[in-house]
Each structure stands twice: as structure tokens, then as C-alpha cells.
Amino acid sequence: IGNLTAYLFLKCQRKNYDMALLILSLLIPVTIIVVANNHININLHDGFMSIAFAPLILLLALNNGRITQVLVNKRLIVLGEISYSMYILQYPLHTIVLYVGKVANFKHPDILFYLFFIVLPISSHLSYFFIELPARTVRKKNWSKKKQLAAKTV
């Protein structure tokens, strides 16, 4: 599926695929719901989903319509960049927020939710800019040094 999608990406031209994306975005969940509720014996995780999502990914890559204009918003790009930090920090921060809520004797669970909702993106931002980016820079420097050494020894 991946090779076919890559081939189609190289052969197709960029244009406005907004309507096709909207239809496909609605069709995939409806198909999954129908398959799951009718007890059709299809494994939804062993490659079947790649068949469903490959056209969606291809159309997103080739699209230059309004959907792409929305997705290239700088805030959404930053959110994508910090998403790994959010994933990694989610459990420890949730545990810390629950502990703080217990110590501070917060009675209402909504307060803890909103506190976590504020703390997680801020912590992820800080982690991305002060840990991930510097680590990436160090890795690139070390990688280029290794490539230079390898080139000298050959």
C-alpha cells in the first residue's frame, strides 16, 4: 500500500482535493462503524486500516485547497511539533496533577481537568524547546562529525 501510494504521489498533480477529502473523512468512520456493528469478521488493525487511510494521506499530501491552508497554520504546526512531548509527559503530569489536587483538597474534578489541560501544553512546549531541540542539534552535530570521520578514513 505504501509503495503504491508513493508512486501515485509522484505521478499525480497538486490541486484542490477538498471535496474528496471531506467525503473520504466521512466515509472511513462510517465504514468502520458499519463493519464493527454488523459483526463482519474483518480485523480492523492488521493492514485493513492502511487501505482505508492511504487515499486520505495521499489526498492530504496532494491537496492545495482550503483544508491545506488550515493545516499549515503556525499554531497547528507547533502543536504537531510538541505532540510527542505531550504524549510522553501525559501520564507523569496527570499523576502529579492528581497528587496536587489531593494535597490541595480540590473537591471538584473539573478543576483538576482544567489544571491538567493548562499544564500539559505548557510543559510540552518547554520540554520541546529546552530539551528536544537542543538534543536534536547535538545529534546533528555528532552525526556530521561521524560522517566527516568516516569520509576521511575511506
Side-chain angles (χ1 to χ4, degrees):
I1 296 298
N3 289 334
L4 176 63
T5 305
Y7 176 78
L8 291 173
F9 175 75
L10 294 173
K11 294 296 178 187
C12 295
Q13 48 182 306
R14 294 181 58 99
K15 59 182 182 179
N16 189 341
Y17 291 105
D18 283 346
M19 188 54 67
L21 279 167
L22 289 174
I23 292 170
L24 201 55
S25 296
L26 294 173
L27 193 61
I28 290 172
V30 167
T31 304
I32 292 170
I33 291 168
V34 167
V35 167
N37 287 338
N38 289 326
H39 306 291
I40 298 171
N41 195 14
I42 295 176
N43 259 342
L44 292 177
H45 57 82
D46 292 336
F48 176 73
M49 297 308 286
S50 67
I51 295 169
F53 282 98
L56 182 67
I57 293 168
L58 177 65
L59 289 175
L60 279 170
L62 292 172
N63 190 29
N64 61 6
R66 287 189 179 208
I67 292 174
T68 300
Q69 291 171 0
V70 169
L71 292 177
V72 296
N73 181 319
K74 287 183 181 183
R75 290 183 178 145
L76 289 178
I77 291 172
V78 169
L79 186 62
E81 293 287 340
I82 68 168
S83 65
Y84 184 71
S85 293
M86 291 179 95
Y87 167 72
I88 294 296
L89 295 174
Q90 180 181 352
Y91 181 76
L93 286 177
H94 187 258
T95 305
I96 291 168
V97 166
L98 288 178
Y99 177 75
V100 167
K102 208 180 269 188
V103 169
N105 202 19
F106 290 139
K107 301 285 186 201
H108 210 337
D110 290 349
I111 294 173
L112 296 175
F113 171 77
Y114 292 122
L115 180 63
F116 178 68
F117 194 74
I118 292 168
V119 167
L120 181 62
I122 292 171
S123 301
S124 299
H125 245 87
L126 294 172
S127 169
Y128 177 74
F129 287 109
F130 293 115
I131 297 172
E132 285 184 53
L133 282 181
R136 197 179 293 175
T137 304
V138 168
R139 188 185 76 211
K140 282 182 183 178
K141 284 181 184 177
N142 289 342
W143 180 257
S144 65
K145 285 180 186 177
K146 287 180 183 180
K147 283 176 72 174
Q148 289 173 356
L149 288 174
K152 287 180 183 178
T153 58
V154 174

